[in-house]
Structures are given as C-alpha cells and as structure tokens.
Amino acid sequence: MEKSVETFKESKHFRLHRVADGVFAAISVPGTGSVGNAAIIDLGDKTIVVDTFTTIQAAEDLQAAAISVTGNSASYVINTHWHSDHTSGNQVFTPNAPIISTTATRDIMAAFGVNRINEQLTNLESIFRSLDELEEKLQKEKDKKLQEEMKWGIASDREYMKILPNLLYTLPSITFDRGLSIHGSERSVQLFSFGGGHTQSDTFVYLPEEKIAVMGDLVLSKHHPVLNHANPKEWLHILERIESLDIEIIIPGHGEVCSMEQVYQVKGYIKDIMTLVAESMESDTNIDDISVPEAYQDWYFTTYFKTNLKKVYELLTAPERSIKVD
Ligand SMILES: [Zn+2]
C-alpha cells in the first residue's frame, strides 16, 4: 500500500523526505530541537525509528510523523550512538517501544550520560551565562556563515535548556554487540556495529533490498565530521568496511540525504585532519594557525574544525588523555 508523506503536517524541527517505499528521512531544520537527523522505517507490521533528536518536542513530532506515514507508532527505536542529539528524545517512545543500542553505547549512557545530565541540572546558571556570552560573541562576529551557525547553535541549546528539567534520561533496554536483524511483514533491517569510530561504539541501519543505510554520525553530508570522542583510525576502517556493502542512498547523521560519495568525503576529511596535524608538528608550527581547507569551507559545523585538529594532536602527543569520554 502506498503511503504518502503529505498526510503528515509539517514539523518545525525537521523536514520529512520519502527516500524509498517505507523509508523516510527526518532531516533536521537548523536552530531547532532536532539538531541531528532521524529516520522512520515501515517494516509493514511494525515501525522502526532511528535516533530521537535533542528535545522532547522534536521527538514527539517524530512519533507523530511515524504514526502518520506508517499507520503505527514506533515499535522499536534504535540509537546509533550515545550523543544527546541522537538520544535525548528517547523518553517519548518508551515504554511502548524498546530502545536498542550496542552494549557499549548503553554502558556509556548509563555512566557518563546520566552524570552529564545531572551536572547540567546543577549548573543551570552557568550554562545560561555561557549562552549569553555566546550571544555577545555573535554580535561581534563578522563572518556571515559563522554568524548563522552560531545563531543555530544558540537557538538549539536554548530549546534543549527548556526541556532539561523534564528530561527523563532513558537508556536502551535491548543491546547487541555486532549485529541484529529486525524482520517485518514487508521489509527487514539489519543493525551493524563495526566498533567505535565517531564514538566509542557506532551502529548503522542497513536495508539490503533497498540499498539504503541510516548512518548516524559515521557519515555526515556537508558538515565537518565530529572527532571529539573519535578514534580516527578505527573510523577509517569502519568506512572501508561500509564501502564493501551495496549502498546507493545514505541518510546521514547531519545534512541532506546523500550517497556513497559522502563516505569517501568523510574518509578524505579524516585523513586530511591527520595530515594537517602531522605536518604542523613536523614544521613546529601551531595547529591553531591551520585554516579550513578550501574543500571544506562551505561545510557546516565549522567550529569542529579546530576541535578536530586538537583531538588528533592530543591522540598523537598524549594518547592516554584521549581515552577519557569527553
Ligand atoms: Zn550528531
């Protein structure tokens, strides 16, 4: 039965794209409560939601979209990794839909994730103060693209701060390590984890028949990949293994629906960051003086370029420091 996206009324948090029969990408609208992308997959007799955005409201819209385009509320929710823009909306879907992640992702959420929320709740004033400071910095910023990105960041953070007191940090209740399949009456999905690259443990969702993959933040489109919690070498290995799969369409963790082209781009980006840091160390120059290469100047998440360089520098000079979670 053909189901139409038109039956879903717009959400301010995301745009819903029908990628294939039964497969929908919820692409984040910048500056709202989504921040990351999500996906809805209609298995026929059950519905899968992949990732749950940053705020309760955005996740509620995602559940409404799932009901609208599949006729069912989510039966299972998958967290591709532990970052809050992919997990903070979990509470909207439970207890009806169990949350699924890797064992390692759940472990990090249970320890570090819970602590982080508690820390935020005890430091509300300083968080609001730093947002005000960012607001002042924005007034002085001359670069139009940076201005826009800062505005989005501040607006999304303020959305998150609004829901923080109501946040029930919700852990996955089904875990796996390497792979898991979910079969429905009309289609099936395969969950894969090739280890940790972007975070300590990353999952992606693969539909072999449709040749579609929902990649979480292993693959971003026109956004700087985020290396804050990354193992760059493992990330490259994971992307190499992904290359051996038959994939035509990718729903990335951030940015528009894309293709294998973005897998190659992310690989190139990680290699470039590693090379730039190595060259800077060899010539004894400061990594802070490295500017964004031409190829990445129109990519978003600009502020991560500097933190990515710093992360790789730390890995090369003090690897023991980089093991910590943040
Ligand atoms: Zn993300």
Side-chain angles (χ1 to χ4, degrees):
M1 186 180 75
E2 189 61 37
K3 292 157 184 166
S4 158
V5 182
E6 275 72 55
T7 55
F8 173 65
K9 79 165 176 51
E10 288 284 303
S11 166
K12 70 169 187 172
H13 304 282
F14 57 87
R15 284 172 287 107
L16 198 64
H17 293 285
R18 183 180 165 284
V19 173
D21 262 1
V23 185
F24 303 87
I27 302 297
S28 168
V29 172
T32 68
S34 50
V35 184
N37 291 337
I40 299 165
I41 304 165
D42 185 0
L43 300 190
D45 55 348
K46 49 183 88 71
T47 294
I48 305 283
V49 162
V50 186
D51 287 339
T52 62
F53 297 140
T54 299
T55 67
I56 297 165
Q57 289 77 18
E60 281 170 350
D61 283 4
L62 185 61
Q63 175 76 295
I67 293 168
S68 169
V69 296
T70 73
N72 293 309
S73 59
S75 326
Y76 295 99
V77 171
I78 295 153
N79 286 158
T80 57
H81 60 294
W82 66 268
H83 285 163
S84 62
D85 53 327
H86 302 262
T87 55
S88 290
N90 279 359
Q91 73 190 72
V92 167
F93 301 93
T94 56
N96 292 338
I99 314 278
I100 305 174
S101 76
T102 63
T103 313
T105 294
R106 187 188 189 278
D107 286 348
I108 294 165
M109 288 172 74
F112 179 73
V114 173
N115 283 345
R116 190 147 88 154
I117 305 284
N118 289 335
E119 257 171 46
Q120 288 169 344
L121 283 166
T122 51
N123 289 301
L124 292 175
E125 266 183 45
S126 74
I127 297 172
F128 281 118
R129 212 177 312 127
S130 59
L131 281 171
D132 290 341
E133 281 165 19
L134 267 178
E135 210 79 72
E136 280 167 33
K137 227 177 126 189
L138 166 65
Q139 301 309 318
K140 291 179 200 136
E141 181 57 59
K142 299 270 180 287
D143 185 294
K144 284 267 174 269
K145 179 163 163 277
L146 283 178
Q147 268 181 16
E148 192 177 36
E149 291 191 77
M150 285 171 82
K151 256 185 225 162
W152 290 340
I154 294 166
S156 291
D157 283 352
R158 291 209 187 278
E159 289 285 310
Y160 175 75
M161 292 309 287
K162 269 190 238 162
I163 62 110
L164 183 56
N166 300 319
L167 193 68
L168 297 169
Y169 195 70
T170 305
L171 297 176
S173 60
I174 298 176
T175 58
F176 71 99
D177 292 315
R178 291 187 189 177
L180 180 75
S181 297
I182 304 173
H183 302 281
S185 58
E186 282 176 40
R187 56 185 63 80
S188 300
V189 292
Q190 297 176 351
L191 278 56
F192 282 116
S193 178
F194 294 160
H198 165 63
T199 62
Q200 298 84 340
S201 177
D202 302 296
T203 297
F204 64 93
V205 180
Y206 180 46
L207 291 95
E209 294 276 316
E210 291 79 3
K211 301 182 184 178
I212 295 170
V214 187
M215 280 295 175
D217 286 359
L218 285 171
V219 181
L220 306 190
S221 172
K222 272 188 90 172
H223 283 66
H224 289 256
V226 180
L227 276 73
N228 290 10
H229 303 123
N231 181 328
K233 282 189 186 155
E234 282 304 312
W235 196 338
L236 291 173
H237 289 153
I238 291 168
L239 294 175
E240 272 157 27
R241 289 183 68 182
I242 287 168
E243 277 174 28
S244 68
L245 297 170
D246 190 5
I247 298 171
E248 284 173 4
I249 298 171
I250 287 177
I251 300 174
H254 298 266
E256 300 299 323
V257 174
C258 57
S259 66
M260 284 302 289
E261 179 61 30
Q262 278 63 32
V263 173
Y264 309 130
Q265 283 183 4
V266 171
K267 264 176 78 182
Y269 179 93
I270 295 168
K271 286 181 188 169
D272 282 351
I273 293 282
M274 291 165 88
T275 308
L276 286 168
V277 172
E279 282 173 357
S280 162
M281 285 168 73
E282 260 167 49
S283 60
D284 217 12
T285 51
N286 196 326
I287 54 164
D288 289 334
D289 297 331
I290 304 172
S291 48
V292 180
E294 181 83 48
Y296 310 126
Q297 281 180 4
D298 62 342
W299 288 17
Y300 294 106
F301 280 0
T302 310
T303 54
Y304 286 112
F305 180 71
K306 290 266 180 241
T307 55
N308 287 345
L309 294 170
K310 198 168 151 255
K311 172 70 183 186
V312 170
Y313 179 82
E314 266 180 26
L315 282 170
L316 292 171
T317 54
E320 70 285 353
R321 281 189 59 201
S322 64
I323 294 165
K324 67 182 170 55
V325 181
D326 65 337

